[in-house]
Amino acid sequence: MDRWENKVAVVTGASSGIGVATCKALVERGMIVVGLARRVEKIESQTRLLISRKYQKNFHSYKCDVSDEESVRRAFAWITKQFGGVDVLVNNAGVLYNDIYIISSDNSDAIRNTVNTNILGVVWCLREAFRSMRERKFDGHIININSIVGHSLTESAGLNIYPPTKYAITAMTEVVRQELQMHKSKVKVTSISPGEVKTKLFGQNYEYPADMPLLAPEDIADAIVYCIQTPPHVQVHEMIVKPVGEKI
C-alpha cells in the first residue's frame, strides 16, 4: 500500500455496510478518505467512530446523493478544492427495494431510484473521478461494487430491477476498460461481485436465516485493498467473492 500513502480515496455509500468497512480499511492503511452518502450525519456518528483515533484526522465526509448528477459534481468539485483530486474511487452506493416486483403496480419511484442510484450514480462518479485522474496524469483505480446477481439470476425473484442494474455494472466495467485502453490510459477499473453480505441492504429490520452462509463487509474491504495494491502491470478486472456454502 506504499503507493497509496496520503493519496485520496472516495467511497460512496459510506454510511453503512461495505462502505463503512472500506473507509476504515483504506484510512487505516494510510490513505486520505472521503466518505460520500446522503446521510452524512450517520457517517460522522457511526463510521468515524469505528476508525482508530490516530487515523480520524484523515477521514472526511460530504453529503452527496449519487443519483443526482449535480450533487455528484458538487461533491467532486469540493474534493478537488480540498484535497487536489481523486486517486481511488470505490463505487459502493446502491439500493434495493425487496418488497416490490417489476410487475407490481405503483412501483415507479422505487424502480427509478434503483436505476438512478445503481447505474447512473456509478456513471456520474466514475466520470468525475476519471476526469480528476486524467487532468493530473495520475494512474488511479476505480472499483465498482457489483454483485453475484450481476452474473447469475438463480433465485433472483423478488429482487425486481436490482439484478439488471448489477448486470449493467458487469457490462459497464468492461466497456470502461476498453475506453481506457482506447485512450491509452493506465487507470485501472475493477468489478468486485460479492455473494450475500451481512448488511442492511434488505432493510434495518431484516433478519438473515441463522444457517445462511454470509460474508462480512470487512471481507469485501479486504478484496478492495488487494485489488488496488497490485503492481502497475496487473489489473484485476473481475473478482467474485462468495461465502463458503453459498448456492447461487
Side-chain angles (χ1 to χ4, degrees):
M1 287 290 289
D2 290 348
R3 177 181 181 229
W4 301 110
E5 187 79 21
N6 293 319
K7 297 299 184 183
V8 178
V10 175
V11 180
T12 69
S15 63
S16 65
I18 294 170
V20 173
T22 301
C23 288
K24 177 178 171 63
L26 296 183
V27 76
E28 291 185 357
R29 285 170 172 79
M31 298 193 74
I32 297 167
V33 176
V34 180
L36 303 182
R38 290 176 295 178
R39 299 171 293 177
V40 71
E41 68 284 350
K42 193 172 179 182
I43 298 179
E44 289 299 319
S45 66
Q46 298 186 34
T47 309
R48 178 176 294 280
L49 299 182
L50 295 174
I51 295 169
S52 299
R53 187 177 298 273
K54 65 180 288 189
Y55 297 105
Q56 288 187 14
K57 66 181 184 300
N58 287 331
F59 179 65
H60 309 270
S61 60
Y62 193 87
K63 183 178 179 64
C64 177
D65 179 353
V66 300
S67 70
D68 182 338
E69 184 178 3
E70 288 308 311
S71 180
V72 171
R73 287 182 186 274
R74 287 193 299 270
F76 279 81
W78 179 83
I79 293 165
T80 298
K81 182 178 179 180
Q82 295 294 319
F83 308 106
V86 180
D87 303 310
V88 170
L89 168 67
V90 180
N91 264 320
N92 167 69
V95 296
L96 166 64
Y97 295 84
N98 64 329
D99 55 349
I100 64 166
Y101 297 86
I102 291 176
I103 59 176
S104 297
S105 301
D106 302 319
N107 62 3
S108 302
D109 288 345
I111 296 295
R112 187 177 296 109
N113 190 39
T114 305
V115 171
N116 286 345
T117 301
N118 296 6
I119 300 178
L120 293 181
V122 173
V123 174
W124 308 146
C125 292
L126 189 155
R127 183 187 66 190
E128 296 304 309
F130 176 67
R131 179 187 301 175
S132 173
M133 296 171 190
R134 180 181 57 192
E135 289 175 350
R136 293 176 297 117
K137 297 181 172 59
F138 184 79
D139 299 335
H141 203 137
I142 296 165
I143 303 281
N144 294 328
I145 301 301
N146 196 341
S147 170
I148 189 65
V149 299
H151 305 270
S152 171
L153 291 179
T154 303
E155 299 182 16
S156 290
L159 300 181
N160 57 82
I161 204 69
Y162 181 82
T165 66
K166 292 304 183 178
Y167 263 83
I169 298 305
T170 301
M172 188 192 308
T173 303
E174 172 58 17
V175 170
V176 169
R177 187 191 68 81
Q178 293 181 24
E179 290 182 352
L180 292 169
Q181 189 176 60
M182 181 177 66
H183 286 87
K184 301 185 181 342
S185 171
K186 293 185 179 180
V187 171
K188 298 180 185 181
V189 60
T190 299
S191 166
I192 297 180
S193 298
E196 195 67 64
V197 184
K198 191 174 183 179
T199 68
K200 297 298 183 181
L201 185 63
F202 290 100
Q204 292 296 319
N205 299 319
Y206 181 79
E207 294 290 338
Y208 289 92
D211 61 347
M212 185 176 192
L214 292 170
L215 296 166
E218 291 77 14
D219 297 326
I220 308 308
D222 288 344
I224 292 168
V225 170
Y226 170 79
C227 290
I228 68 172
Q229 67 179 346
T230 52
H233 69 287
V234 175
Q235 174 170 266
V236 179
H237 176 65
E238 174 68 60
M239 178 184 284
I240 296 176
V241 185
K242 296 182 181 183
V244 173
E246 185 172 73
K247 295 180 180 179
I248 297 179

